[in-house]
Amino acid sequence: MSELLAQAQAMQNQLMEAQANLENQEVEGTAGGGLVTAMVSGTGELLSLTINPKAVDPDDTETLADLIVAAVRDASENAKEVAARAMGPLAGGLGGGLPGLGGGPEALPGNDQGPIGFTRPGGQPGQNPG
């Protein structure tokens, strides 16, 4: 029994370390062929937004807004992939995974909640947009 507890503690330490590493990673997303670039942390926090002056048309702010949303969405998707790669192997060793770490309930069809605090585009955590 103590061996199992030691394994669980080691796994918890690895998960905490992986989460800390994700917080320090920067992941980029772009839209409009690079006209808008969003940078997010590995945990999905928006860190910066760069807008090429060519994307700014005072008579068409809707297109710029769409490019911003697309760049942030792209960066968030890229961050989810980074998080899945970092956390997936750790969660797999816990008998089917943990919610939010791959293999948990969010992997079920119709559940629109993504891993580690992310929401899939168009969805709210725990809600199906369709």
Side-chain angles (χ1 to χ4, degrees):
M1 183 67 160
S2 64
E3 183 179 324
L4 184 58
L5 290 175
Q7 280 183 312
Q9 182 64 42
M11 186 70 81
Q12 181 179 10
N13 290 340
Q14 288 175 335
L15 286 170
M16 290 172 54
E17 183 178 326
Q19 181 70 24
N21 288 338
L22 284 173
E23 290 173 4
N24 294 322
Q25 289 189 31
E26 294 184 356
V27 183
E28 184 177 281
T30 62
L35 289 175
V36 177
T37 302
M39 187 72 66
V40 300
S41 70
T43 57
E45 177 185 356
L46 183 61
L47 301 172
S48 69
L49 190 63
T50 304
I51 301 171
N52 184 311
K54 294 177 186 176
V56 181
D57 178 356
D59 296 324
D60 185 14
T61 58
E62 286 183 33
T63 298
L64 178 57
D66 289 344
L67 289 172
I68 292 169
V69 169
V72 171
R73 185 172 288 154
D74 185 49
S76 294
E77 287 294 321
N78 292 341
K80 281 190 236 179
E81 291 175 16
V82 167
R85 283 194 303 269
M87 304 299 268
L90 297 173
L94 295 174
L98 294 173
L101 301 177
E106 72 281 347
L108 299 174
N111 188 336
D112 207 36
Q113 187 174 354
I116 315 172
F118 291 105
T119 302
R120 292 188 177 110
Q124 297 295 319
Q127 296 180 356
N128 188 340

